[in-house]
Amino acid sequence: MKKYKLGELIEISRGASLSGKYYATKGEYIRLTCGNFDYRNNCFKENTSKDNLYYVGEFKPEFLLEEGDIITPLTEQAIGLLGSTALIPESGKYIQSQDVAKVTCNEELLDKKYAFYLLSSDIVKQQLSAGAQQTKIRHTSPDKIKDCTVWIPNLDVQKRVGQLLSDIDAKIALNRAVNHNLEAMAKQLYDYWFVQFDFPDENGKPYKSSGGKMVWNEKLKREIPEDWKVAQLGNLCSFRNGINYAKDEIGEPYAIVNVRNISATSILLDGEDFDVITIPLSKATNYILTEKDIVIARSGCPGSTRLLHTSNKTLFCGFIICCTPIEEYLRNYITLFLKILEGSSATTSGGSILQNVSQDTLKSLWIILPSIKLLMIFDRFLKDLIDLLYSNSMAIKILTKQRDELLPLLMNGQVKVDVERSRLNYDLPHD
């Protein structure tokens, strides 16, 4: 291992100062922000927190980034952000802004893949944190990054280490992409069958497109298939508000679902990052989640809906409503119904469900009731899909743990990669 200053191995360039008057909701180019760093997973993400991310003004060509460029933030808008890295996913689309630094390696000394992990390693993060400008929002600079001290092996070892870690991250990204597609399939099938009404008829043809009879429903103000009914959720489900608790209570340990767990997931709650609390069994009994339940956020991300795949002494907090369908085959159908509402402007007599979530607003929602046979077919499909989602989520957790445990050991030379046996020593979980 040889000692260097990062400035001997990389060049760091600050992005462009982009005028706010050219921010737009549509355009050809997207301006990068600190919101493009998924710092928990150390990868790139699309920024969904703002709607004016396009830039329609002029800028120098060197600020338009290429696929595979390494970027790192210069502003810590969330604790732990400094020292994160991300790779640009597409050429000619993203403009480097002044809060984002581009990293260029001297590839005669530093392998690019190795550099990606070196910059996000604890040894660099700790130095950046110690030297960060102490303001309300902490900052670093290209010079401070280049002043960090690191120890690196020879280039051949770097390439092996970088490739191994890159392979693990590629597998994690693939599993995430598969899960994204599975969730899209679930929503698409729900839309096709229960919004467009092109579910398979008795001849296996799409019902509405094949001339299936439709009748006007006054409650929904639209036509629905003949013989289908409507009901309010309050007649199909029971509802409970979550538990309020103090952190210093004495009792048995329980995992608890908080709003942050819901906002960090899409359909499934897989147990990751659940807090553990201790409370008396007598107090916990009415708040234990089962596999029949649907959890719905009341705040933070109001109306957001999730499923718990496996329940093992898991409670839900007071900012969450638990919905329990009276029939088990309704659970996945109602979950998708509520998921679709997350992205809509659906209203009740109490206002928008996404702004005013309560038991009363949920109970008052009207939902279409297809035949039990069709609901059970849909439920079986969703169960299989959710099992795949869960399996992939568990593989992601295993791979992430493996990567995070290997990273410091590989960076400081405690673990070496044997080219001949690396596949055997670091076998990756399959889908």
Side-chain angles (χ1 to χ4, degrees), residues 85-115:
T85 48
L87 296 174
I88 297 299
E90 184 179 342
S91 296
K93 180 178 179 180
Y94 299 97
I95 306 171
Q96 180 192 359
S97 64
Q98 62 183 351
D99 288 334
V100 176
K102 176 184 172 183
V103 179
T104 306
C105 297
N106 176 354
E107 296 193 43
E108 293 182 359
L109 295 174
L110 185 64
D111 176 68
K112 187 175 180 180
K113 288 180 179 177
Y114 185 90

Side-chain angles (χ1 to χ4, degrees), residues 240-243 256-257 287 289 314-318 320-322:
R240 296 175 287 157
N241 286 344
I243 188 170
I256 187 160
V257 181
Y287 305 99
L289 290 168
T314 302
L315 312 178
F316 59 106
C317 78
I320 290 173
I321 296 172
C322 174

